[in-house]
Amino acid sequence: MKDSRAFGPVLQRLTPEEARDMGGRYVPASVRNTFWGVLPSRADGPIASVSSGQRITIDTISHEGLMPDQGSDPVRYFGSRGIGRGELLEDAIAIPACKSRGEHDGSHVVTGPIEVKGAKPGDVLMVSIDRLERRAPYGVISTRHGRGVMVDSGLEGDYGALCKVISVDGAAFGQIVPDGTQFHDQALDKTDYPSFPLRPFLGIMGVTPDSDERKCSIPPYAFGGNIDVNDMTEGSTLFLPVQIDGAGFYIGDPHYAQGDGEVALTALEAPLRATVTLTVIPAKVADDLFGIHDRPFAYAGGKLLALGLHEDLDEALRQSVAYSISLLSSLFHLPKKAIYLYLSAAADFDVSQAVDLVRGIHSRIPLSHFEGPAADNLIGYIMQAVEQAVKQGD
């Protein structure tokens, strides 16, 4: 049964007492802790520090309602749609009031960087997505700047839709709110506009590049950033190639749902509180396990995901296939030609997104098709190798 009342709390910043109860490993999305439209550089000091294997909780903010074409005033933007100030996040209100963006910067609010002690260039940072909590019962889907895939079709323009989190048989769904309908309007009970299940994930996860430049937040990079892979839900794991001492991990671009391709430009953009575990895989162990590991890859739902990133989708596909072959041949000690043929018969290659300047393709390869400990429990297999290396002093 559909219940069109707002479903879920508004999660403001934790109090100092609440943060202390978490052992101090909590990072709010404050003005001081965030970047707007850019990613951290090696010149930016860490806002928090953890040891390898430690868990940390990090708040994120959505950029929707904050952007100049939306008035840079979330109180007014959301208020005009029937959402009261008390239903807004105080940290989201503070960002446009206290921060500015450059003309060529991106849109995303990014929280970080976080130091992972002992991480060095050549290592791999393993990011375990432990928990993702919705911070508000609403979000926004939008298209702007002619950057959706339907350019010159009459569908381009700067517009969007408010989306309300509702309950359907006790599960969280997103309900698109028709133009002219207010957030709390009971007319939503009878709307014909679609609703859909939520699968929260972080669009941006990355490590700091070895550069003094604060790079634009829009495209994905070899060190992560705006990869927009919707498999990165609770229970998934991302692997990132460390570029600088301490890794400099950061997150942003929180989503409640996204279709493969993200065709209009944005997903259902909405704020999340993320709890992650950050583990360093030493370079020698990573070399032995993965072979080449100079780009992001992931493990989610029993499947290996190898990313290909390029302005041209055909080249992104080629990169994803090549990376899949390399990872599988290293993990399972099989001939690359056999893996290439296997991929053609049994693996999927999907468009992560086609709208972020650099396009993304990722594989979805069921490891249940393979034999051995890496197939049975990939994360356990990796952790065993890391623990052995620590004992041996590698």
Side-chain angles (χ1 to χ4, degrees):
M1 177 180 292
K2 180 187 288 190
D3 183 345
S4 65
R5 291 174 295 180
F7 185 56
V10 175
L11 298 181
Q12 301 288 2
R13 181 191 305 191
L14 293 179
T15 66
E17 293 76 17
E18 291 170 329
R20 278 198 296 271
D21 289 343
M22 301 179 66
R25 292 192 292 273
Y26 165 67
V27 177
S30 63
V31 171
R32 186 182 74 85
N33 290 345
T34 54
F35 297 83
W36 193 7
V38 294
L39 304 178
S41 78
R42 65 187 176 194
D44 293 306
I47 60 172
S49 181
V50 297
S51 298
S52 178
Q54 281 191 323
R55 178 180 291 183
I56 187 167
T57 296
I58 311 164
D59 280 347
T60 65
I61 301 170
S62 171
H63 58 275
E64 292 290 350
L66 282 61
M67 297 299 293
D69 60 1
Q70 297 168 326
S72 298
D73 183 352
V75 174
R76 183 174 180 179
Y77 177 81
F78 287 109
S80 69
R81 290 154 176 80
I83 299 175
R85 194 188 193 287
E87 299 172 282
L88 303 180
L89 297 175
E90 292 297 328
D91 44 14
I93 295 171
I95 293 297
C98 301
K99 282 185 177 289
S100 59
R101 299 165 48 256
E103 180 182 357
H104 302 294
D105 292 341
S107 56
H108 311 99
V109 180
V110 176
T111 310
I114 294 162
E115 175 191 30
V116 185
K117 296 173 186 176
K120 295 180 174 62
D123 295 343
V124 169
L125 183 65
M126 185 170 77
V127 183
S128 303
I129 314 301
D130 299 325
R131 190 176 184 189
L132 296 169
E133 300 173 82
R134 301 189 310 276
R135 296 188 66 199
Y138 53 82
V140 176
I141 311 167
S142 67
T143 187
R144 54 168 66 89
H145 311 317
R147 287 201 21 243
V149 301
M150 298 300 289
V151 177
D152 300 325
S153 69
L155 293 171
E156 71 274 14
D158 297 341
Y159 61 94
L162 181 67
C163 202
K164 183 176 184 177
V165 178
I166 65 170
S167 171
V168 177
D169 295 327
F173 272 58
Q175 171 67 64
I176 295 179
V177 178
D179 287 343
T181 302
Q182 294 286 288
F183 182 71
H184 293 291
D185 197 326
Q186 288 185 339
L188 279 175
D189 290 336
K190 299 179 180 178
T191 184
D192 292 329
Y193 276 47
S195 60
F196 48 89
L198 302 186
R199 295 182 69 236
F201 75 100
L202 296 164
I204 288 179
M205 290 186 282
V207 291
T208 299
D210 188 15
S211 169
D212 290 327
E213 176 191 3
R214 289 177 173 172
K215 296 184 180 295
C216 176
S217 69
I218 294 174
Y221 301 91
F223 51 82
N226 193 25
I227 59 173
D228 273 340
V229 175
N230 64 17
D231 299 77
M232 303 312 301
T233 55
E234 286 185 359
S236 65
T237 306
L238 179 66
F239 300 85
L240 296 165
V242 175
Q243 312 287 297
I244 65 169
D245 288 347
F249 177 70
Y250 51 83
I251 64 174
D253 193 27
H255 301 141
Y256 286 0
Q258 177 192 296
D260 285 339
E262 200 182 19
V263 294
L265 178 61
T266 82
L268 173 48
E269 312 286 325
L272 291 169
R273 175 168 291 160
T275 300
V276 300
T277 300
L278 303 177
T279 303
V280 177
I281 303 175
K284 185 179 184 303
V285 176
D287 291 344
D288 292 343
L289 289 174
F290 312 128
I292 298 170
H293 49 83
D294 58 356
R295 275 171 287 146
F297 66 97
Y299 178 69
K303 296 178 181 180
L304 183 71
L305 286 65
L307 276 63
L309 305 170
H310 199 272
E311 293 84 354
D312 180 81
L313 273 174
D314 288 343
E315 180 57 28
L317 173 60
R318 179 182 174 87
Q319 287 186 12
S320 178
V321 172
Y323 201 16
S324 298
I325 293 170
S326 176
L327 287 168
L328 290 169
S329 65
S330 185
L331 283 168
F332 297 104
H333 310 290
L334 294 171
K336 291 184 176 181
K337 289 182 178 179
I339 293 171
Y340 184 34
L341 297 177
Y342 157 78
L343 293 176
S344 192
D348 292 324
F349 289 83
D350 298 300
V351 179
S352 316
Q353 53 73 28
V355 293
D356 291 336
L357 304 179
V358 173
R359 279 74 178 173
I361 298 282
H362 60 277
S363 54
R364 287 183 171 124
I365 304 166
L367 293 191
S368 60
H369 294 176
F370 295 83
E371 301 293 335
D376 297 336
N377 181 1
L378 179 62
I379 303 305
Y381 178 68
I382 292 168
M383 288 304 301
Q384 184 179 37
V386 171
E387 290 165 3
Q388 286 178 345
V390 171
K391 288 180 182 177
Q392 295 169 2
D394 287 359

mmCIF file of all heavy atoms in Angstrom, residues 31-62:
data_model
loop_
_atom_site.group_PDB
_atom_site.id
_atom_site.type_symbol
_atom_site.label_atom_id
_atom_site.label_comp_id
_atom_site.label_asym_id
_atom_site.label_seq_id
_atom_site.Cartn_x
_atom_site.Cartn_y
_atom_site.Cartn_z
ATOM 1 N N VAL A 31 30.916 23.830 6.641
ATOM 2 C CA VAL A 31 31.581 24.702 5.672
ATOM 3 C C VAL A 31 33.081 24.410 5.651
ATOM 4 O O VAL A 31 33.699 24.331 4.586
ATOM 5 C CB VAL A 31 31.297 26.186 6.007
ATOM 6 C CG1 VAL A 31 32.167 27.107 5.154
ATOM 7 C CG2 VAL A 31 29.812 26.500 5.804
ATOM 8 N N ARG A 32 33.675 24.216 6.810
ATOM 9 C CA ARG A 32 35.121 23.975 6.895
ATOM 10 C C ARG A 32 35.523 22.637 6.285
ATOM 11 O O ARG A 32 36.634 22.493 5.740
ATOM 12 C CB ARG A 32 35.567 24.013 8.364
ATOM 13 C CG ARG A 32 37.076 23.907 8.563
ATOM 14 C CD ARG A 32 37.438 23.895 10.042
ATOM 15 N NE ARG A 32 37.102 22.626 10.666
ATOM 16 C CZ ARG A 32 37.909 21.554 10.648
ATOM 17 N NH1 ARG A 32 39.066 21.600 9.998
ATOM 18 N NH2 ARG A 32 37.552 20.446 11.257
ATOM 19 N N ASN A 33 34.644 21.657 6.364
ATOM 20 C CA ASN A 33 34.994 20.292 5.952
ATOM 21 C C ASN A 33 34.658 19.977 4.503
ATOM 22 O O ASN A 33 34.825 18.831 4.075
ATOM 23 C CB ASN A 33 34.264 19.284 6.840
ATOM 24 C CG ASN A 33 34.793 19.270 8.260
ATOM 25 O OD1 ASN A 33 35.869 19.806 8.534
ATOM 26 N ND2 ASN A 33 34.044 18.663 9.170
ATOM 27 N N THR A 34 34.159 20.930 3.759
ATOM 28 C CA THR A 34 33.664 20.643 2.408
ATOM 29 C C THR A 34 34.309 21.525 1.347
ATOM 30 O O THR A 34 34.799 22.624 1.626
ATOM 31 C CB THR A 34 32.140 20.841 2.342
ATOM 32 O OG1 THR A 34 31.808 22.149 2.824
ATOM 33 C CG2 THR A 34 31.408 19.792 3.157
ATOM 34 N N PHE A 35 34.285 21.004 0.130
ATOM 35 C CA PHE A 35 34.622 21.752 -1.080
ATOM 36 C C PHE A 35 33.351 21.826 -1.926
ATOM 37 O O PHE A 35 32.523 20.924 -1.883
ATOM 38 C CB PHE A 35 35.723 21.049 -1.880
ATOM 39 C CG PHE A 35 37.034 20.939 -1.151
ATOM 40 C CD1 PHE A 35 37.258 19.905 -0.246
ATOM 41 C CD2 PHE A 35 38.037 21.868 -1.369
ATOM 42 C CE1 PHE A 35 38.458 19.802 0.430
ATOM 43 C CE2 PHE A 35 39.251 21.773 -0.702
ATOM 44 C CZ PHE A 35 39.463 20.737 0.203
ATOM 45 N N TRP A 36 33.240 22.883 -2.720
ATOM 46 C CA TRP A 36 32.065 23.026 -3.584
ATOM 47 C C TRP A 36 32.523 23.128 -5.037
ATOM 48 O O TRP A 36 33.148 24.107 -5.433
ATOM 49 C CB TRP A 36 31.245 24.259 -3.199
ATOM 50 C CG TRP A 36 29.874 24.300 -3.817
ATOM 51 C CD1 TRP A 36 29.270 23.319 -4.554
ATOM 52 C CD2 TRP A 36 28.934 25.371 -3.744
ATOM 53 N NE1 TRP A 36 28.016 23.700 -4.952
ATOM 54 C CE2 TRP A 36 27.776 24.963 -4.459
ATOM 55 C CE3 TRP A 36 28.942 26.632 -3.146
ATOM 56 C CZ2 TRP A 36 26.663 25.777 -4.617
ATOM 57 C CZ3 TRP A 36 27.829 27.439 -3.288
ATOM 58 C CH2 TRP A 36 26.697 27.014 -4.016
ATOM 59 N N GLY A 37 32.246 22.066 -5.785
ATOM 60 C CA GLY A 37 32.541 22.064 -7.211
ATOM 61 C C GLY A 37 33.918 21.585 -7.588
ATOM 62 O O GLY A 37 34.222 21.453 -8.771
ATOM 63 N N VAL A 38 34.763 21.315 -6.584
ATOM 64 C CA VAL A 38 36.125 20.844 -6.852
ATOM 65 C C VAL A 38 36.461 19.707 -5.890
ATOM 66 O O VAL A 38 35.775 19.484 -4.889
ATOM 67 C CB VAL A 38 37.163 21.981 -6.697
ATOM 68 C CG1 VAL A 38 36.959 23.054 -7.763
ATOM 69 C CG2 VAL A 38 37.114 22.587 -5.294
ATOM 70 N N LEU A 39 37.567 19.003 -6.215
ATOM 71 C CA LEU A 39 38.070 17.921 -5.376
ATOM 72 C C LEU A 39 39.315 18.391 -4.629
ATOM 73 O O LEU A 39 39.996 19.320 -5.074
ATOM 74 C CB LEU A 39 38.415 16.709 -6.247
ATOM 75 C CG LEU A 39 37.289 16.165 -7.132
ATOM 76 C CD1 LEU A 39 37.798 15.002 -7.975
ATOM 77 C CD2 LEU A 39 36.083 15.736 -6.292
ATOM 78 N N PRO A 40 39.640 17.773 -3.510
ATOM 79 C CA PRO A 40 40.845 18.176 -2.763
ATOM 80 C C PRO A 40 42.112 17.971 -3.589
ATOM 81 O O PRO A 40 42.187 17.078 -4.448
ATOM 82 C CB PRO A 40 40.840 17.260 -1.545
ATOM 83 C CG PRO A 40 39.459 16.726 -1.432
ATOM 84 C CD PRO A 40 38.910 16.691 -2.819
ATOM 85 N N SER A 41 43.134 18.774 -3.291
ATOM 86 C CA SER A 41 44.459 18.611 -3.879
ATOM 87 C C SER A 41 45.429 18.157 -2.789
ATOM 88 O O SER A 41 45.086 18.148 -1.595
ATOM 89 C CB SER A 41 44.945 19.926 -4.483
ATOM 90 O OG SER A 41 45.405 20.798 -3.462
ATOM 91 N N ARG A 42 46.654 17.837 -3.197
ATOM 92 C CA ARG A 42 47.646 17.379 -2.213
ATOM 93 C C ARG A 42 48.022 18.485 -1.227
ATOM 94 O O ARG A 42 48.584 18.218 -0.154
ATOM 95 C CB ARG A 42 48.889 16.878 -2.932
ATOM 96 C CG ARG A 42 49.638 17.953 -3.708
ATOM 97 C CD ARG A 42 50.764 17.371 -4.527
ATOM 98 N NE ARG A 42 51.403 18.405 -5.340
ATOM 99 C CZ ARG A 42 52.231 18.157 -6.359
ATOM 100 N NH1 ARG A 42 52.510 16.899 -6.674
ATOM 101 N NH2 ARG A 42 52.763 19.141 -7.048
ATOM 102 N N ALA A 43 47.710 19.738 -1.562
ATOM 103 C CA ALA A 43 48.010 20.855 -0.661
ATOM 104 C C ALA A 43 46.967 21.018 0.435
ATOM 105 O O ALA A 43 47.174 21.795 1.382
ATOM 106 C CB ALA A 43 48.113 22.151 -1.469
ATOM 107 N N ASP A 44 45.855 20.315 0.331
ATOM 108 C CA ASP A 44 44.780 20.431 1.317
ATOM 109 C C ASP A 44 44.998 19.427 2.448
ATOM 110 O O ASP A 44 45.045 18.222 2.217
ATOM 111 C CB ASP A 44 43.425 20.183 0.656
ATOM 112 C CG ASP A 44 43.071 21.272 -0.344
ATOM 113 O OD1 ASP A 44 43.086 22.457 0.038
ATOM 114 O OD2 ASP A 44 42.790 20.938 -1.516
ATOM 115 N N GLY A 45 45.117 19.941 3.659
ATOM 116 C CA GLY A 45 45.351 19.079 4.810
ATOM 117 C C GLY A 45 44.122 18.267 5.165
ATOM 118 O O GLY A 45 42.989 18.651 4.858
ATOM 119 N N PRO A 46 44.310 17.150 5.853
ATOM 120 C CA PRO A 46 43.174 16.292 6.214
ATOM 121 C C PRO A 46 42.297 16.938 7.277
ATOM 122 O O PRO A 46 42.775 17.658 8.155
ATOM 123 C CB PRO A 46 43.840 15.023 6.750
ATOM 124 C CG PRO A 46 45.186 15.472 7.229
ATOM 125 C CD PRO A 46 45.599 16.577 6.305
ATOM 126 N N ILE A 47 41.004 16.658 7.199
ATOM 127 C CA ILE A 47 40.055 17.137 8.205
ATOM 128 C C ILE A 47 39.818 16.092 9.275
ATOM 129 O O ILE A 47 39.218 16.382 10.312
ATOM 130 C CB ILE A 47 38.717 17.537 7.544
ATOM 131 C CG1 ILE A 47 38.086 16.340 6.826
ATOM 132 C CG2 ILE A 47 38.914 18.701 6.592
ATOM 133 C CD1 ILE A 47 36.678 16.589 6.325
ATOM 134 N N ALA A 48 40.281 14.872 9.034
ATOM 135 C CA ALA A 48 40.169 13.777 9.997
ATOM 136 C C ALA A 48 41.189 12.725 9.615
ATOM 137 O O ALA A 48 41.726 12.726 8.495
ATOM 138 C CB ALA A 48 38.763 13.189 10.004
ATOM 139 N N SER A 49 41.451 11.816 10.551
ATOM 140 C CA SER A 49 42.455 10.785 10.319
ATOM 141 C C SER A 49 41.983 9.469 10.929
ATOM 142 O O SER A 49 41.415 9.459 12.032
ATOM 143 C CB SER A 49 43.792 11.212 10.935
ATOM 144 O OG SER A 49 44.784 10.242 10.707
ATOM 145 N N VAL A 50 42.192 8.371 10.209
ATOM 146 C CA VAL A 50 41.871 7.043 10.724
ATOM 147 C C VAL A 50 43.035 6.108 10.438
ATOM 148 O O VAL A 50 43.854 6.357 9.547
ATOM 149 C CB VAL A 50 40.584 6.463 10.087
ATOM 150 C CG1 VAL A 50 39.377 7.321 10.436
ATOM 151 C CG2 VAL A 50 40.734 6.327 8.576
ATOM 152 N N SER A 51 43.098 5.038 11.205
ATOM 153 C CA SER A 51 44.053 3.974 10.919
ATOM 154 C C SER A 51 43.436 2.999 9.934
ATOM 155 O O SER A 51 42.212 2.921 9.793
ATOM 156 C CB SER A 51 44.425 3.241 12.212
ATOM 157 O OG SER A 51 45.047 4.112 13.128
ATOM 158 N N SER A 52 44.276 2.258 9.247
ATOM 159 C CA SER A 52 43.774 1.256 8.313
ATOM 160 C C SER A 52 42.880 0.271 9.041
ATOM 161 O O SER A 52 43.211 -0.223 10.127
ATOM 162 C CB SER A 52 44.939 0.508 7.660
ATOM 163 O OG SER A 52 44.468 -0.503 6.792
ATOM 164 N N GLY A 53 41.707 0.009 8.454
ATOM 165 C CA GLY A 53 40.751 -0.911 9.046
ATOM 166 C C GLY A 53 39.743 -0.254 9.964
ATOM 167 O O GLY A 53 38.843 -0.935 10.474
ATOM 168 N N GLN A 54 39.860 1.056 10.179
ATOM 169 C CA GLN A 54 38.914 1.751 11.049
ATOM 170 C C GLN A 54 37.702 2.242 10.267
ATOM 171 O O GLN A 54 37.770 2.520 9.076
ATOM 172 C CB GLN A 54 39.575 2.943 11.743
ATOM 173 C CG GLN A 54 40.433 2.552 12.924
ATOM 174 C CD GLN A 54 40.848 3.752 13.754
ATOM 175 O OE1 GLN A 54 41.126 4.823 13.231
ATOM 176 N NE2 GLN A 54 40.903 3.562 15.066
ATOM 177 N N ARG A 55 36.610 2.381 11.012
ATOM 178 C CA ARG A 55 35.344 2.849 10.459
ATOM 179 C C ARG A 55 35.169 4.325 10.783
ATOM 180 O O ARG A 55 35.567 4.791 11.852
ATOM 181 C CB ARG A 55 34.200 2.020 11.050
ATOM 182 C CG ARG A 55 32.820 2.421 10.596
ATOM 183 C CD ARG A 55 31.757 1.527 11.237
ATOM 184 N NE ARG A 55 31.813 0.168 10.728
ATOM 185 C CZ ARG A 55 30.968 -0.784 11.079
ATOM 186 N NH1 ARG A 55 30.006 -0.538 11.958
ATOM 187 N NH2 ARG A 55 31.073 -1.994 10.567
ATOM 188 N N ILE A 56 34.552 5.062 9.857
ATOM 189 C CA ILE A 56 34.281 6.477 10.062
ATOM 190 C C ILE A 56 32.934 6.821 9.439
ATOM 191 O O ILE A 56 32.559 6.260 8.403
ATOM 192 C CB ILE A 56 35.410 7.358 9.486
ATOM 193 C CG1 ILE A 56 35.198 8.832 9.852
ATOM 194 C CG2 ILE A 56 35.556 7.174 7.978
ATOM 195 C CD1 ILE A 56 36.423 9.694 9.586
ATOM 196 N N THR A 57 32.205 7.733 10.085
ATOM 197 C CA THR A 57 30.908 8.201 9.587
ATOM 198 C C THR A 57 31.076 9.616 9.043
ATOM 199 O O THR A 57 31.651 10.481 9.720
ATOM 200 C CB THR A 57 29.855 8.167 10.698
ATOM 201 O OG1 THR A 57 29.657 6.804 11.105
ATOM 202 C CG2 THR A 57 28.530 8.736 10.216
ATOM 203 N N ILE A 58 30.561 9.834 7.837
ATOM 204 C CA ILE A 58 30.772 11.096 7.118
ATOM 205 C C ILE A 58 29.432 11.592 6.590
ATOM 206 O O ILE A 58 28.705 10.848 5.931
ATOM 207 C CB ILE A 58 31.738 10.902 5.935
ATOM 208 C CG1 ILE A 58 33.002 10.140 6.364
ATOM 209 C CG2 ILE A 58 32.106 12.250 5.304
ATOM 210 C CD1 ILE A 58 33.808 9.591 5.205
ATOM 211 N N ASP A 59 29.118 12.846 6.865
ATOM 212 C CA ASP A 59 27.903 13.449 6.320
ATOM 213 C C ASP A 59 28.164 14.023 4.934
ATOM 214 O O ASP A 59 29.264 14.523 4.639
ATOM 215 C CB ASP A 59 27.394 14.567 7.229
ATOM 216 C CG ASP A 59 26.615 14.047 8.425
ATOM 217 O OD1 ASP A 59 26.261 12.851 8.426
ATOM 218 O OD2 ASP A 59 26.362 14.837 9.354
ATOM 219 N N THR A 60 27.128 13.957 4.090
ATOM 220 C CA THR A 60 27.192 14.569 2.762
ATOM 221 C C THR A 60 25.968 15.455 2.546
ATOM 222 O O THR A 60 24.951 15.313 3.218
ATOM 223 C CB THR A 60 27.251 13.516 1.643
ATOM 224 O OG1 THR A 60 26.017 12.768 1.638
ATOM 225 C CG2 THR A 60 28.420 12.577 1.825
ATOM 226 N N ILE A 61 26.109 16.353 1.578
ATOM 227 C CA ILE A 61 25.056 17.299 1.215
ATOM 228 C C ILE A 61 24.826 17.196 -0.287
ATOM 229 O O ILE A 61 25.781 17.093 -1.065
ATOM 230 C CB ILE A 61 25.464 18.746 1.554
ATOM 231 C CG1 ILE A 61 25.756 18.900 3.045
ATOM 232 C CG2 ILE A 61 24.387 19.736 1.126
ATOM 233 C CD1 ILE A 61 26.401 20.231 3.383
ATOM 234 N N SER A 62 23.580 17.279 -0.703
ATOM 235 C CA SER A 62 23.268 17.382 -2.122
ATOM 236 C C SER A 62 23.402 18.831 -2.573
ATOM 237 O O SER A 62 23.112 19.765 -1.828
ATOM 238 C CB SER A 62 21.843 16.896 -2.398
ATOM 239 O OG SER A 62 21.474 17.194 -3.731
#
